[in-house]
Structure formats: structure tokens, C-alpha cells
Amino acid sequence: MTGLTVLLPPSETKREGGDPERTLDLGALSFPELSDERAAVITAARSVSSEESTARTAFKLGPRSIAERFRNLTLDTSPTMSAIERYTGVLYDPLDVASADDATRRWWAEHVVVQSAMFGPVGAGDPIPAYRLSHDARLGALKLARHWPGPSSAAIAQRRAGLVLDLRSEGYRALGPVDDAVTLRVVSVDGGGRRKALNHWNKTAKGRMVGLLGRTGADLRSMEDLLAWAAANGVAIERTSDGWDLVAESLEPRAG
């Protein structure tokens, strides 16, 4: 990886389907040194998913989602698609991957890393199957909060070169801490200049920003570069007493 590295959380919702001719190959994923750790999580997830009662508790599945346990039983044979396409929801939908050109997809593949609970950090272009696992899932003796942080942090540190922009949620940040990464607090600013930190909808702003970074082919290596890019593209990133704020309104679609 060169220049900017953007760290994203995964999404609980996944797109179905993919390429049936390309099934999961742990060695083909980014950070192949994590293959053993990935295999251990897959084994534990498969064991817990084998019984409906244990899966319901481990993955917090309700009547409508209980069938998702079967995803974990067929990881080796399921079709795959790139991680940036696999994940859906309020963060990933604003990327509008379906309309992205090849240059944008290459930018995402080179610069975006998703912190998966199942696979650890993966590149945006890595082919993965649909699965069910979150950072707080219970996998018996395997504790994700102990299993992933050391190996994930080491893998990211080895590949990074420049600015790390950490847009992960707290739970996924804990699975692969990066001490000197830049984090953004997403805020809404009203007409009187009052700021309010956003919760659920902060993901939309982050998705729009990563989409714009890819579509502009941003070549960034420092915070100064990021601020210059933001100013040139009408994105408000502002210094505060305790970090950096991203103003959500600056990323709302503009008419025309």
C-alpha cells in the first residue's frame, strides 16, 4: 500500500451471490500472513453455527436472520465477490460501487482496508463470501478481542506507508488498533453554528467521503494533503480542541 490507507468497518448486511467459479482462498487475500488466524476463526464460527441454539446466542440472531448461520457452514464453497461490493448498508451504499469505473475500483483496492471479524483486515478488492460474524460474537474458547488485535495491528503496520485514516467504529478499531491513525468525528452543523455529533448517520458521511476519494483518485500522504484535497472538493474537515471534525453537510449531494 502507498500513500493513504483508509480503514473501514464491515457491515452486518451482506450482498448475496458472487462468482461461483472463485471460492474462498485465504492465501489470495491481502495480508496472507494472517491465513492461520483466519482459519482458526472460520473453524470456530463453523462449529458455533452448526446448531441453531448456539448460533442464535453467539450471533444474536432472531427468527428472520437465523438462516444466516448457514453462511458460515459453506464459506469454502460459496461464491465470492470483492469486499467493497459484498458489504451493504448506510456506509457502503453511498459508495455506489455499481457505477464506479475501473480507476475508482483500483483506488479502493489499493487504499481501502476493511476490518472483518471473520477474516481480519482485508483489501477492498479481496474476494470474500457472505458470512455472519460481528466483533462482539461469542465463539467459545476463541475470543475475537484477544485473537485479532496483535496480528491485525502488525499486518497493517507492515504494509502502511503514509497517512492512516481510521473510519472504523470503536468495536472494530479494537480488533486492530493503529496508534497514530487519524480519526474523524462526524458532526452536523446548524444555521447557528452549533455542532452535534452524529451516531448512526455518521456512516453515510464516511461512505460519501470514501466514494469521493476514490472517484477523484486522491494521492495523499499526509494530513496536510488530506486537508488540501478536502478544500479543493468542498469537504469540510476542521481542527478542534480534541481532534478532527468532518462536517456531514459538506458531503451531501449537490443539485445539478
Side-chain angles (χ1 to χ4, degrees):
M1 296 178 183
T2 60
L4 176 66
T5 298
V6 181
L7 302 178
L8 292 181
S11 173
E12 183 175 288
T13 56
K14 319 280 192 308
R15 185 171 286 108
E16 298 289 347
D19 182 356
E21 300 299 318
R22 190 174 190 184
T23 54
L24 179 63
D25 179 358
L26 297 182
L29 301 180
S30 300
F31 313 104
E33 64 270 29
L34 298 176
S35 291
D36 288 346
E37 285 81 6
R38 289 164 172 159
V41 175
I42 289 171
T43 297
R46 183 181 292 123
S47 175
V48 171
S49 301
S50 62
E51 296 291 339
E52 182 174 318
S53 59
T54 56
R56 183 184 296 111
T57 300
F59 308 130
K60 301 177 183 177
L61 300 175
R64 294 185 178 181
S65 58
I66 189 62
E68 292 184 14
R69 72 186 180 93
F70 292 110
R71 292 175 173 177
N72 297 342
L73 301 177
T74 58
L75 289 172
D76 295 334
T77 58
S78 294
T80 64
M81 66 175 65
S82 66
I84 202 80
E85 295 175 286
R86 177 66 71 191
Y87 298 112
T88 64
V90 292
L91 191 156
Y92 287 89
D93 291 349
L95 292 171
D96 193 14
V97 177
S99 72
D101 59 21
D102 290 343
T104 300
R105 289 171 179 264
R106 284 195 298 271
W107 192 97
W108 288 331
E110 182 176 353
H111 296 280
V112 175
V113 173
V114 181
Q115 184 76 46
S116 163
M118 184 74 77
F119 306 113
V122 296
D126 288 358
I128 60 172
Y131 64 92
R132 178 64 187 234
L133 189 66
S134 60
H135 68 88
D136 57 353
R138 303 172 183 175
L139 296 180
L142 191 149
K143 309 297 183 184
L144 294 172
R146 291 203 298 264
H147 183 80
W148 278 127
S152 291
S153 296
I156 294 169
Q158 185 175 2
R159 300 296 183 86
R160 62 172 293 186
L163 177 66
V164 176
L165 183 60
D166 194 343
L167 303 182
R168 296 173 296 178
S169 53
E170 183 177 352
Y172 284 99
R173 196 176 298 148
L175 295 187
V178 178
D179 291 339
D180 57 348
V182 172
T183 60
L184 299 178
R185 183 182 72 151
V186 181
V187 300
S188 178
V189 181
D190 65 19
R194 291 180 292 271
R195 296 180 178 232
K196 178 182 178 181
L198 297 180
N199 188 9
H200 179 70
W201 295 109
N202 84 88
K203 295 179 181 180
T204 298
K206 291 176 179 178
R208 288 173 176 166
M209 180 175 172
V210 175
L212 186 58
L213 283 165
R215 285 178 168 81
T216 57
D219 182 13
L220 313 177
R221 298 177 182 276
S222 65
M223 193 63 198
E224 290 74 20
D225 290 343
L226 177 61
L227 294 174
W229 171 88
N233 288 278
V235 178
I237 299 177
E238 302 170 353
R239 183 72 170 175
T240 68
S241 59
D242 57 354
W244 296 96
D245 280 359
L246 171 64
V247 180
E249 287 82 358
S250 69
L251 284 156
E252 289 181 354
R254 296 171 176 81

